[in-house]
PDB file of all heavy atoms in Angstrom:
ATOM      1  N   LYS A 913      23.441 -96.395 -39.608  1.00  0.00           N
ATOM      2  CA  LYS A 913      23.601 -97.546 -40.514  1.00  0.00           C
ATOM      3  C   LYS A 913      24.710 -98.451 -40.012  1.00  0.00           C
ATOM      4  O   LYS A 913      25.627 -98.032 -39.304  1.00  0.00           O
ATOM      5  CB  LYS A 913      23.941 -97.079 -41.934  1.00  0.00           C
ATOM      6  CG  LYS A 913      22.893 -96.203 -42.569  1.00  0.00           C
ATOM      7  CD  LYS A 913      21.635 -96.987 -42.851  1.00  0.00           C
ATOM      8  CE  LYS A 913      20.621 -96.125 -43.584  1.00  0.00           C
ATOM      9  NZ  LYS A 913      19.329 -96.755 -43.669  1.00  0.00           N
ATOM     10  N   SER A 914      24.647 -99.724 -40.413  1.00  0.00           N
ATOM     11  CA  SER A 914      25.737-100.647 -40.112  1.00  0.00           C
ATOM     12  C   SER A 914      26.919-100.272 -41.007  1.00  0.00           C
ATOM     13  O   SER A 914      26.736 -99.643 -42.061  1.00  0.00           O
ATOM     14  CB  SER A 914      25.313-102.089 -40.393  1.00  0.00           C
ATOM     15  OG  SER A 914      25.244-102.312 -41.796  1.00  0.00           O
ATOM     16  N   PRO A 915      28.131-100.660 -40.640  1.00  0.00           N
ATOM     17  CA  PRO A 915      29.278-100.368 -41.505  1.00  0.00           C
ATOM     18  C   PRO A 915      29.095-100.929 -42.921  1.00  0.00           C
ATOM     19  O   PRO A 915      29.431-100.253 -43.897  1.00  0.00           O
ATOM     20  CB  PRO A 915      30.452-101.032 -40.782  1.00  0.00           C
ATOM     21  CG  PRO A 915      30.047-101.014 -39.346  1.00  0.00           C
ATOM     22  CD  PRO A 915      28.554-101.242 -39.372  1.00  0.00           C
ATOM     23  N   GLN A 916      28.546-102.124 -43.041  1.00  0.00           N
ATOM     24  CA  GLN A 916      28.347-102.722 -44.357  1.00  0.00           C
ATOM     25  C   GLN A 916      27.346-101.915 -45.187  1.00  0.00           C
ATOM     26  O   GLN A 916      27.587-101.623 -46.353  1.00  0.00           O
ATOM     27  CB  GLN A 916      27.869-104.175 -44.225  1.00  0.00           C
ATOM     28  CG  GLN A 916      27.724-104.899 -45.549  1.00  0.00           C
ATOM     29  CD  GLN A 916      29.049-105.070 -46.274  1.00  0.00           C
ATOM     30  OE1 GLN A 916      30.073-105.350 -45.671  1.00  0.00           O
ATOM     31  NE2 GLN A 916      29.036-104.881 -47.587  1.00  0.00           N
ATOM     32  N   GLU A 917      26.214-101.528 -44.569  1.00  0.00           N
ATOM     33  CA  GLU A 917      25.215-100.722 -45.272  1.00  0.00           C
ATOM     34  C   GLU A 917      25.799 -99.375 -45.694  1.00  0.00           C
ATOM     35  O   GLU A 917      25.566 -98.905 -46.814  1.00  0.00           O
ATOM     36  CB  GLU A 917      24.002-100.461 -44.373  1.00  0.00           C
ATOM     37  CG  GLU A 917      23.151-101.661 -44.083  1.00  0.00           C
ATOM     38  CD  GLU A 917      22.104-101.351 -43.029  1.00  0.00           C
ATOM     39  OE1 GLU A 917      22.413-100.669 -42.024  1.00  0.00           O
ATOM     40  OE2 GLU A 917      20.949-101.796 -43.217  1.00  0.00           O
ATOM     41  N   ALA A 918      26.553 -98.760 -44.802  1.00  0.00           N
ATOM     42  CA  ALA A 918      27.137 -97.451 -45.085  1.00  0.00           C
ATOM     43  C   ALA A 918      28.138 -97.531 -46.226  1.00  0.00           C
ATOM     44  O   ALA A 918      28.150 -96.679 -47.118  1.00  0.00           O
ATOM     45  CB  ALA A 918      27.813 -96.901 -43.827  1.00  0.00           C
ATOM     46  N   LEU A 919      28.955 -98.567 -46.220  1.00  0.00           N
ATOM     47  CA  LEU A 919      29.948 -98.740 -47.271  1.00  0.00           C
ATOM     48  C   LEU A 919      29.284 -98.987 -48.616  1.00  0.00           C
ATOM     49  O   LEU A 919      29.662 -98.383 -49.629  1.00  0.00           O
ATOM     50  CB  LEU A 919      30.888 -99.893 -46.905  1.00  0.00           C
ATOM     51  CG  LEU A 919      32.218 -99.942 -47.622  1.00  0.00           C
ATOM     52  CD1 LEU A 919      33.025 -98.682 -47.377  1.00  0.00           C
ATOM     53  CD2 LEU A 919      33.002-101.154 -47.169  1.00  0.00           C
ATOM     54  N   GLU A 920      28.277 -99.844 -48.635  1.00  0.00           N
ATOM     55  CA  GLU A 920      27.566-100.122 -49.886  1.00  0.00           C
ATOM     56  C   GLU A 920      26.910 -98.854 -50.441  1.00  0.00           C
ATOM     57  O   GLU A 920      26.975 -98.594 -51.644  1.00  0.00           O
ATOM     58  CB  GLU A 920      26.522-101.216 -49.676  1.00  0.00           C
ATOM     59  CG  GLU A 920      27.139-102.593 -49.491  1.00  0.00           C
ATOM     60  CD  GLU A 920      26.123-103.657 -49.077  1.00  0.00           C
ATOM     61  OE1 GLU A 920      24.908-103.356 -48.981  1.00  0.00           O
ATOM     62  OE2 GLU A 920      26.555-104.799 -48.843  1.00  0.00           O
ATOM     63  N   ALA A 921      26.314 -98.061 -49.574  1.00  0.00           N
ATOM     64  CA  ALA A 921      25.666 -96.829 -50.031  1.00  0.00           C
ATOM     65  C   ALA A 921      26.683 -95.824 -50.543  1.00  0.00           C
ATOM     66  O   ALA A 921      26.464 -95.164 -51.561  1.00  0.00           O
ATOM     67  CB  ALA A 921      24.848 -96.217 -48.884  1.00  0.00           C
ATOM     68  N   ALA A 922      27.805 -95.701 -49.853  1.00  0.00           N
ATOM     69  CA  ALA A 922      28.829 -94.713 -50.244  1.00  0.00           C
ATOM     70  C   ALA A 922      29.524 -95.113 -51.533  1.00  0.00           C
ATOM     71  O   ALA A 922      29.929 -94.249 -52.323  1.00  0.00           O
ATOM     72  CB  ALA A 922      29.853 -94.554 -49.130  1.00  0.00           C
ATOM     73  N   LEU A 923      29.655 -96.410 -51.790  1.00  0.00           N
ATOM     74  CA  LEU A 923      30.388 -96.865 -52.961  1.00  0.00           C
ATOM     75  C   LEU A 923      29.474 -97.168 -54.153  1.00  0.00           C
ATOM     76  O   LEU A 923      29.934 -97.586 -55.203  1.00  0.00           O
ATOM     77  CB  LEU A 923      31.224 -98.103 -52.633  1.00  0.00           C
ATOM     78  CG  LEU A 923      32.292 -97.885 -51.558  1.00  0.00           C
ATOM     79  CD1 LEU A 923      33.062 -99.175 -51.309  1.00  0.00           C
ATOM     80  CD2 LEU A 923      33.229 -96.742 -51.903  1.00  0.00           C
ATOM     81  N   PHE A 924      28.164 -96.953 -53.982  1.00  0.00           N
ATOM     82  CA  PHE A 924      27.209 -97.197 -55.047  1.00  0.00           C
ATOM     83  C   PHE A 924      27.505 -96.280 -56.220  1.00  0.00           C
ATOM     84  O   PHE A 924      27.654 -95.079 -56.063  1.00  0.00           O
ATOM     85  CB  PHE A 924      25.778 -96.944 -54.536  1.00  0.00           C
ATOM     86  CG  PHE A 924      24.729 -97.149 -55.599  1.00  0.00           C
ATOM     87  CD1 PHE A 924      24.328 -98.418 -55.957  1.00  0.00           C
ATOM     88  CD2 PHE A 924      24.149 -96.062 -56.228  1.00  0.00           C
ATOM     89  CE1 PHE A 924      23.348 -98.612 -56.926  1.00  0.00           C
ATOM     90  CE2 PHE A 924      23.175 -96.228 -57.200  1.00  0.00           C
ATOM     91  CZ  PHE A 924      22.778 -97.511 -57.549  1.00  0.00           C
ATOM     92  N   GLU A 925      27.625 -96.855 -57.406  1.00  0.00           N
ATOM     93  CA  GLU A 925      27.875 -96.059 -58.610  1.00  0.00           C
ATOM     94  C   GLU A 925      26.750 -96.310 -59.608  1.00  0.00           C
ATOM     95  O   GLU A 925      26.352 -97.429 -59.853  1.00  0.00           O
ATOM     96  CB  GLU A 925      29.209 -96.442 -59.239  1.00  0.00           C
ATOM     97  CG  GLU A 925      30.404 -96.067 -58.381  1.00  0.00           C
ATOM     98  CD  GLU A 925      31.722 -96.341 -59.101  1.00  0.00           C
ATOM     99  OE1 GLU A 925      31.757 -96.281 -60.346  1.00  0.00           O
ATOM    100  OE2 GLU A 925      32.695 -96.616 -58.402  1.00  0.00           O
TER     101      GLU A 925
END
Side-chain angles (χ1 to χ4, degrees):
K913 299 292 184 190
S914 73
Q916 184 64 40
E917 291 172 318
L919 199 59
E920 288 172 3
L923 299 180
F924 179 78
E925 293 186 29

